[in-house]
Structures are given as structure tokens and as C-alpha cells.
Amino acid sequence: MIVVGVSALYHDSACAVYVDGELVAAAHEERFSRARFDPAMPVRAFRSCLRRAGVGVHEVDLVGYYEQPREKLARQLWTDLPRHVVGRPAALLRLDASRPLREIRDLLGYDGPVEFVTHHEAHAASAFYCSGFPDAAVLVVDAVGEWSTTSLGRAGEDGVEVLEDVRFPHSLGLLYSTLTSYLGFSVNSDEYKVMGLAPYGTPRHRDAMDALVTEHEGGFALDLDFFDFADDRRMYTDALVEALGVPPREPGDDVTREHEDLAASVQSLLESLLLKQVDRLHRLVPSPRLCYAGGVALNCVANSVIRAKGPFREVFVQPAAGDAGSAIGAAALVAHRAGRRPTRERLVDVRLGFAEPAGACRALLTGAGVPFTDLGSDARLADAVAGRLAGGAVVGWFQGAAEFGPRALGSRSILADPRDAAMRDRINALVKKREAFRPFAPAVAAERAAEFFELDVPSPFMLETVRVVPGMELPAITHVDGSARVQTVDAAVDPRFHALLTAFGDRTGYPVLLNTSFNMRGEPIVNTAGDALACFLRSDLDVLVLDDLVVDRADVPERLRRRLADVAPYRAPSISESVYTFF
Amino acid sequence: MREHDDRVARANRLAALFGDEAGARALAEAQKAAHVAPDPRDWTAEPSGNRVGIWRVVAGPGGPGLRRANAPAAIRRLWADAPEVGGKGDRARVVLIGESVARGYLLDPVITPAAALQAALDRCAPGAHQCVDLARTGIEIRELSAVVRDLPALEPDEVVLVAGNNWSMHSLTHNECDALADALDRDGAEGMRAAYAEVVVARRVERFLSQLQGVAERSGARVTVVVPEFNLTEWEDLPLLPPPLAPAPVLERWRSARERLAEAGVAGRWAEVVALADELAGLDGFAAAAERARGRALSALGDHAAARAALERARDAATGLLVRHTPRATRQVQDALRAFAAAHGHRLVDLTADLADPRTGLPDPAHFLDYCHLAPSGIAILAARLAGALTGRPVGPERPGTPEEVAAGHVLAASHNAWLGQRGPVLRRHLALAAEAGPAARAHVQDLHRLVHDDVPAWTSEAFDRMCSAHRHADRYFAAAALGSFRQMRQTDLAGVLRDLVGPPPAGGHVPEHDLVADRQDGAQALTHGREPAFFRCLEPRFGARLHCAHGGVLRLVYRTPHGTGAGEVLLDGRAVAVLPASRSWREADVPVGPAAGPDPVLEIRWPTPDADLPAARTAAVDSLRRAEPPLLHLAFGDLSEATLRCAHEEPRTTARDASPAVGAR
């Protein structure tokens, strides 16, 4: 049975394909369109995923869509009731529950059956069916699905069942987004910056934050005196400004101690509320296993708190925990409901996206007149690249199929020596151009992870924040609070990346590399080898590795950089979204 | 809490009522009625202060001048390459406004109408005029309106309007979409096209010209109006789409008549062509194919006035259906410009007369680089006529540019024409003109050849770099296409023309598989405002592709015929190799394709004729317009999800560049 999952028409659209219960392909539309968080029906991702799966559109048995359009419409209409029944101007032509099916037919060309699942069912399924657990409690936390913002449920042989939920507008995701906006960052995008800022501060506004939320048996409620999700300009009221006692930060303004403390406070509040939710979930579903997804599950600091302090022995977080990942969940759930339960194997490898065909990287470099060294084997390649990394080089590392999800995990990565205290600033200057407070993450050879990080479980998807073992000199990836968002790399899963880490370890004693996504700030992660070459030239990376081929910056003809700067110069994003759109 | 629950219950009831297509339409209508704020795509009347286009107006000793503001390179390329413009001093300031014709597209910034006009003015009145170039490639009429609005800050003495080619291609407001939907619903596709002319084009043109008149009166500037011309005899709108929303018998007859008409045209049986054009026009109220064929035939028969009328109808037939077409000034627009000049006593330069071949009265293709953009000879005539009008003295045309610059323009023209599906003879004309200029120009032709056969993103190609480095107009033109590869050009006639002129293609890496869907570029696919689907929608009776693999192999097709009955067939170089049964759902077929006789085998799929539920198709198109989406008025003959040729022989070939010691594996 071939089942396609689709997540689209809101934020970061994506597609996933299951063939006979195996997840074989998944891709974000933004990687192809090069429009960050592209919400459009994922026509390019759909084509690419079918091609990767080796199936045709005529062979697709079922499409699963990641939300219930009518329920979503009800919530959208509710937002402006009772003043208007037709929404605000921003909703013009967007109140259309028939659009998903219409575009699946018209744009994807799929003419078979389509099943719709609720947004939180899709999230829950995306975690459960990738967890390898026979059964589990499931937690979904995001801004909002149709109505649900937090869902507690269970999953097992009978599928996924939501037992309780908290409903819009009471939302942990929106709470966090509101403070993200308050701190001058873009909502539905930059929440991770608040998480990164938090360790610099102290949660001295926690009391004020606590007043924003009322907890009760079965959930919580936002105090709507402080929030206004129907406002087109901002998500909060004057009462919040008064309560916090710190004026909102304008985008681009300096980050001050006050802002750090606000970030610390909202992070602390979030962790506290999440712990209460997982406690309640455990009472409802006394399983030792938790599956967790939704946009808030990308908050890896909170994830580690749930793992460390929560009641569940095993926790699986969906690596593509945001909306894109629910394409996986929608496909898995409708497949199960149609009688083809997805595999019971745990997802250990998210390299499910676009891969250049054999010979394409060589053809690109040859066609571009870029000298390269072909190192053929994993060992030779690893040794050569490790030598450059140990010498201080920053490397653009492009291998095989693209990762699905927001993290670069060794297929589309920028790598560097984590021992160099100056490396963070250097990479920020070279390519990332991002706020200095944001930490970079490490990748480590899995079998040696415990030597460097206080980590007792694998973390293949960079979704855990752990302490760096005291005495380890890894300043470029150690956050201000001594933590790191670590990725463990298993030799059986990604032998090439593991070999590189090992080779670096052989030279330096540290099988650890700084690993950040291969993109310029504000752009999607590179998808094709051409994207990688362009990013390499726009930034000032020292080395580019395309599959087996190594390119040193000094060898690249100047004409390429000049030409690229002429025809497609890099432009930093200038738009900051201060309001969460519900349309 | 009770209040909250009541509200939720009400929202749920509303969603149940509005949750289907009809509900979405009802909500959309209610939203449009409720929100009376100006549509962002509509015009703004507020002057922008001290800006005109991408420049700031700055005060100087000679009066107001211009200084270019920060703008992305992609935007800067659309305007004149002028960081600063000084004050006019005691010269008369002539401001040229308009579209890509006024920019000198394909020659800009090396050769521009503004520079040619300045030179012409200097020839007859040295130092008396300052020509300011405010033309912008791709400018829409409402954007042009913003330029006009801001003109007074520049204190112009003369305003020259060279525009109209973009006035039949607009992004539409919701109200305009609704008006078109009403017309389509009521009167069918012809009604919609008429409404487009009346509701969209006429109103906008009238509004714009009225604004220009007001600005001219307030600022005291005199106006000169240029009536644009179209390359009527040479340009062919491709693909030639069948009549919209037509029943199967009409499509069958149209198909048959079109094939007979093409045969008669090739054979030069012009009287038969005219008769067949009548037959075709009787089937197709839009008549683009019929009128073009009729125009060619009448011209061949020596009735040039009737030929012009037919070719103008063919040109204008492309507009108003919201299907992608190249810029063009329709008769409606030309007449509006003439009437405006006459009504207000403005000077008029009418290129329909000035660019005509004196023997026929038809536009001379030698003055064009494509559908409407002028060759250096055309720019020279435009500049001379304008200078004569402005000074009242006769001015002779003087062709601008060096032979090399002009030659490079023809290389770009060949590329541009090929992208837009033009036939071999047109491409050959431009490349031959380029090659005449000498070895450097011939090297550019070779570079284009190499670029077409490179699979890499264009910006990485040495050939691309050489062309862009050598000529600033190449840099301007090619920049928009730089991130993709030029391999789609191999599906055009350009590949064959280059092979004839330059020799066999440069050797490339072996390609075991050809994705014929990915390689196709087709203007009909990208509707004016729409999104491309995940499959290739064939709006013509046939799908053709060059295979670039003479060994044959296996062609894998995943196809459907959404409205088709009967069967289609697959042909290789005109020889049938397989039957494709009609199928309204997707179906796969593996078609063995034997070796081809020639070096450039052509695969063709002939689709069965659509027999659609026409009322449903019309309703769907109306609904699309109500959603401000493009209506699909042409029935799909076939859809291709996959068309992949797996070659019988994989030929490992060394690359030309492998010989270079600086390139490749070390």
C-alpha cells in the first residue's frame, strides 16, 4: 500500500510517502521553492518524494491530509465572532475549507481517496509511528490545530486516541509566541531564539508570567486580559506590558538583560506547565513511554526537562515536530486506519528528502570549472576533511539525501572545530549572520558521547539539551549555562558522518564537531548541490564537500563568486512577523 | 465560560454551513462586501514624496536631479543604469517613461532609446536637451501611473510616453476578477474576453491617460505619445491553443482544419490557406491560429492591407483569456493612444507607420528583436522621429551601437525567441546576423551553444560568464535565468539551429535517463497568475519532445486523458510506436522506442480529443476567478505525470573540460 501524507496551506508545507508501512520519503516544499516556510500545496516535494519512493501517482492508494478543514474553519470564524462573521481583511479568500481537497486534485493531480485527520492526531501519529514503541502515551503541544492546542492521548495497536485537550485560545504555543513577539523576534519562526536567550537570564519575571496562566484540573487557561489573538498588529494587550514592566523590544534593537530575564521567565513557565501536562498525561495513561510532537516539542531545553523530571521512562520526540512532520503522521495514521499499520521500527534516520543522482555533483563542479579532489572512500574522505577541520577550516558538508525536519544532521551541514572559542563568532560572521547569543550544536560519535556530554540516551535528532561534561574544552558548542543541544551519530546509520567524527577524534581527541544547518540566515537549508555551491560562495566557508568531492575555497575561480554576487546576491531577511496568523 | 461555549457552537454551525465549495464562495462574497479597504493591487494616488522609480529627487544647482536609492540588483536591472542624474540647468528636460521597449530590452543598457534620443536631439540642437530615462522593464500600468504621479518633482519640460505593450496584462483586483467571472458565467469565454477589454483595459488606460494629462497640465510639460508596434509578420504565438471550452466535435474539426492548414501553408497553397482559415475561424471565435495563417497567406498573395488586419486580429486574440502571452499593444490600446494625443493636441509618433516595410505596409521584422522589442534600426527610427517631433526639425535615423554590441543583442534575441517557442528560421536570422559581426560575435554563438548543452546552473557556466562579462546587456538579460540551467532550450529549435551553425553539441556526461516532463517549458503551462501543477498539463492536441538519444530505449509514461475518449498514440519521428488508450485516471505505459534515423529524434504523443462536461468546466473556471485564481478555459487533452526515456545505451563520454588541467578531479 502506498500512502502519501500532505501538510500544506498554512506553514512549512511538506509531503511524506509510506510504501507498505515503511516511511521512504519526506520533503519540505521550501527546500525546492527556496521560499522559507513555503505554505503552498507541495507540488515539488510531491514529485520528488514519489520519485525517491520509486512510485507513480497512479500507484498511490491513499492520501492523508494533516487537518480537518471544516473544524479549522470554525476556529477561524470564531476568532472574529461576534463582531464579524466573515473575519478580518487578512482572511479574505482564506476561509475556504474546500481548498485542501481541491488543490490535492488540481495541483497534485491525485484523483484517489483522501482522508482527513485532525491536526493533533497527525502530530501524535507522527511521533508514535516513528517511535518504535508498541504503545505509548502521547502529548501534542503547539500553537493551535483546529481547536486543540494541547492534546493528551494514547497510541497503540488501535491507532491514536486523544483523551483530553486544551482548546484555543488557551495555548502554550501562543503564549510562547506572544513573548517571542514581545521580545522582537518573528513568531512561528524564531521561538528557538527565545529558548537560546533564556540561559543568559534569570527568571525574575516568573511571578508576573505565572499570572498570565490559570491552571486547573485537566489543563490551563490563558488570562485573556493579557492576550489579543484577533489583533492584526500585536498579540498582547497593554495589560501585559504593564504586568511585565519591561517595554516590548523592537526587532533589531539591542538585547538587554531585561530581555534575557523575560526569555528565562517564559522558558521557565513553559517547562513548568509542560511538566504538569506530562504528569497529568501519565495519570491518564500510565505507560512508561511518551511520544511527543507539535511545534513546542522543538523546544529541546523543555524536552530535556520532561525527560529528566517527568514520569515517563522513555521519551520519543518526533524530529520534525512542527507542522511539516505532521505529513508523516497523516500518512501513517490513514494507512493504519486503512489496514496497513506502519512499521514498528523506530525512526533512526531522517535522510528522506531530495538526493542528487549519481554523478551530479561531479558534473556540477566540472561544468562550473571548479577544481576538486575525489576522495572516493569514506575513510579517505573523512581523513582529508578531518584534517581541514582540525586546522580550523569551516566546512560545508553535503551528502546524499536531505534531512526531513528543521535540523541539519550531517547531510546538509556546516561543520567546524568545536574546541575553538572563536569559532562561534567566526561562523556567525561567515555565514549565519545571526544573533551572537544563539548557541551552535555539536554532533558526536554515539559510542563516545558519554565522555563529553551528560547523556544517557541516544540523541540522533538533536532534540536533547544536556550538560557538557565539566572539563571538556568545547567552547564553540557549549552554551552559557554549560549545556549543549547534542546529536549522537551512530556508525550503523550514517557511516560517513560517523567516520568523519571519528577521524576528527583521532586527530584531536574529540570526536565532536560543531554542526549547524547549511544555509544563510533566513534561507531554507540547501537542497541541491547547486544550492550548496551557491551558499558556499555567498558565505566564506573554507571547504565544500559534495558527496565524495572536496573543494577548497582557494581553488574556486573568482569568476564564480563574482557572477553569483551579480545575478543573485544574498539578501538578509527584513520582514519580522509580529503576529501569529490564523489564516 | 457559557458565553465562550455558545460562541464555539455558533462557529461550528457556521463552519458546517460554509464548509463546502458553495460555502467558501458565500464567505468570499461576504468578505468582499465587508472589506471595503482598497485592494493592495489597486492604484495609489498619494505621491511618494521625493522619489521617482528607484531614485530620490535631490536638489542641485541646476535644479532637481536624481540619485539612485538602495535597491536589490534584480530591481536595478529593470531601470536605467544611472546612479545619478544632474539638474537640467538651462536645458529642456525630456523625460522618457514607459516599458521594456522604452528600455531597449535585449540591448539595455548598452543601447537604449533614451540614449539614442539624446544623441538625436544633440545632433539637431546641441546642448539644448537633457533626456532622463525613467523607463522600466515589465512595468504595469498602475506602476507607470506611480511614475507619472511623481513626475512633477522632476520639473519636466517634455514627457515622452513609450508604453502600451503591458496594458493587456495586469494583475487583477478582486472586483475585476468578479466582473470577468460574471461575464464568463453569462457569455462564455468570448464574453470574458470582451469584459477584459472593457472593464479592465479600457478603464485602466482611460484612468492612466487622464492622470498623465492632469500631471502635464499641472506641471506645464508637453506630452509626446508613441504608438507601439508589434512584429506582426514574424512573431508566432505558440502554442496555438484550441478554442476554449469547446465541445468534442468542434475540437475534432478544429484539429483537422489546423492540420490541413499547416500542410497547405508549408506547401504555399495560399488560396487554400485562406479558405481553411475561414473554416477554422468559424470554429474558433478567438481565431489566433486562423488569423495568423490568413495574414501570412494574404501577404503572400499581395493583399497587404488585409494581411495586416488579419495579423492584428491574431495578435489581439491572445489577450483577455488570462493565458500567458508576450507583451503587445492591441488595437484597442493603440487607438486609445492615438485618440488621447488627438484630443489634447499632443504630438504623436506612430510606429505602425514608421516601422513599416514601405513595400508592404507591414512591420519590417528587421526592426525587431522579438515580438515588440526594437532592434537598433528600430530604436534609431524611434529616436529620430521623437527628436523630430520635439524639435520640429527633420532628423535622420542613426543606428546606435557597435557591431559587436549589436551582434550580442542578436544572440540574446535568439535565446529569448527560443525560450518563447519561436521557430528555427527566426532563430537562424538572429544568429546569422550575430555571426556576421566577426570572430568575437561568433564566439558568443558558440558560448550559447555550450550553455544550452550544460546541465549546470547557468551562473556556474564559463560560457555564461564570458557572455555576461563581455556585454552588459547580456548580464542584464540573462540574470533572471541564471539560477536555473538552460537545458530546457534543448527542447526548442535553438538546439538544431546551433548544431547547424556551430557543429555538434559539446560532449557532456552520459545521461541514462531523460525526464521529458522536467525538460519541457511551455508558455501555456504557466497561466498568467497560476501555479504549475505537479504534472504537465497538455493543452494542445500533441506533446512533442526531442529525445537527444538516438539509440532508443524504453519510454515510461504515467498519463491520463481527463476528458478523452478513444485512444491516442505515441510516435517517433512521425512513425507510430504505441497506442495509448484513453484513461480518465492515471495509467502507466512502458513504450519500447527503437533507434531513430536522425540525430535529433522527436517523440510525439497525439492525445485523443477531449469530450468534457462543458458546463462543469465553465463553472469551475468561474469559481476560480471568484477566488482570484486563473480560470482554466482550455481543456486538457492529456496530463503527463511521468515521461521518462531510459536510454538503451549509456554512453560514458568524456567532458570537453576534462582536457583542461585546471578543472576536474585532481
Side-chain angles (χ1 to χ4, degrees), chain B residues 54-70:
Chain B
I54 57 167
W55 292 273
R56 285 198 183 86
V57 179
V58 291
L66 295 173
R67 183 170 301 144
R68 191 163 62 199
N70 279 334

Side-chain angles (χ1 to χ4, degrees), chain A residues 7-84:
Chain A
S7 150
L9 305 180
Y10 179 62
H11 176 76
D12 196 9
S13 73
C15 181
V17 178
Y18 273 84
V19 175
D20 294 334
E22 297 288 335
L23 176 62
V24 296
H28 304 249
E29 185 70 0
E30 65 159 21
R31 308 289 163 89
F32 301 90
S33 68
R34 309 307 297 158
R36 196 174 186 213
F37 301 137
D38 190 341
M41 185 58 65
V43 292
R44 299 172 185 86
F46 180 72
R47 276 189 74 81
S48 176
C49 283
L50 291 185
R51 199 169 176 87
R52 178 174 167 83
V55 299
V57 64
H58 62 296
E59 296 172 283
V60 176
D61 296 296
L62 185 58
V63 163
Y65 190 73
Y66 83 127
E67 65 186 11
Q68 291 283 2
R70 282 193 190 195
E71 292 182 33
K72 179 181 176 180
L73 174 64
R75 191 252 301 155
Q76 290 172 323
L77 292 169
W78 176 90
T79 306
D80 283 311
L81 289 177
R83 284 173 289 174
H84 306 293

Side-chain angles (χ1 to χ4, degrees), chain B residues 433-648:
Chain B
L433 284 168
E436 282 173 9
R442 285 195 288 277
H444 288 320
V445 177
Q446 286 176 333
D447 277 336
L448 182 62
H449 191 36
R450 194 175 292 272
L451 191 55
V452 168
H453 289 279
D454 275 346
D455 273 331
V456 296
W459 66 270
T460 68
S461 154
E462 286 182 80
F464 182 86
D465 189 62
R466 274 194 299 272
M467 296 170 78
C468 293
S469 298
H471 294 290
R472 287 189 297 148
H473 43 329
D475 181 64
R476 276 212 159 189
Y477 169 69
F478 277 137
L483 292 180
S485 94
F486 276 44
R487 72 175 195 179
Q488 288 180 342
M489 296 277 245
R490 278 177 255 162
Q491 290 297 333
T492 71
D493 282 0
L494 185 63
V497 172
L498 286 167
R499 190 184 56 226
D500 294 345
L501 288 174
V502 180
H510 72 85
V511 181
E513 197 172 272
H514 296 267
D515 183 344
L516 303 177
V517 170
D519 280 354
R520 276 302 298 268
Q521 189 253 2
D522 186 327
Q525 281 289 296
L527 302 177
T528 309
H529 317 287
R531 283 202 72 199
E532 283 188 39
F535 52 91
F536 186 86
R537 183 180 284 142
C538 299
L539 301 177
E540 287 188 286
R542 64 180 287 278
F543 170 87
R546 292 173 171 81
L547 294 184
H548 306 295
C549 170
H551 300 291
V554 175
L555 177 70
R556 175 180 165 76
L557 297 173
V558 176
Y559 73 97
R560 67 181 176 187
T561 52
H563 315 289
T565 56
E569 58 183 347
V570 181
L571 302 95
L572 182 67
D573 285 336
R575 177 173 48 88
V577 295
V579 171
L580 288 185
S583 173
R584 298 202 178 209
S585 56
W586 294 106
R587 177 176 180 141
E588 67 179 324
D590 284 338
V591 179
V593 176
D600 201 10
V602 173
L603 176 104
E604 185 182 348
I605 297 172
R606 288 187 188 165
W607 300 108
T609 299
D611 186 9
D613 177 349
L614 295 179
R618 184 197 286 203
T619 299
V622 169
D623 290 346
S624 293
L625 274 168
R626 302 249 186 250
R627 294 190 299 267
E629 294 170 0
L632 189 59
L633 296 175
H634 293 89
L635 303 171
F637 281 73
D639 291 336
L640 279 172
S641 179
E642 287 181 50
T644 308
L645 180 73
R646 180 164 285 279
C647 294

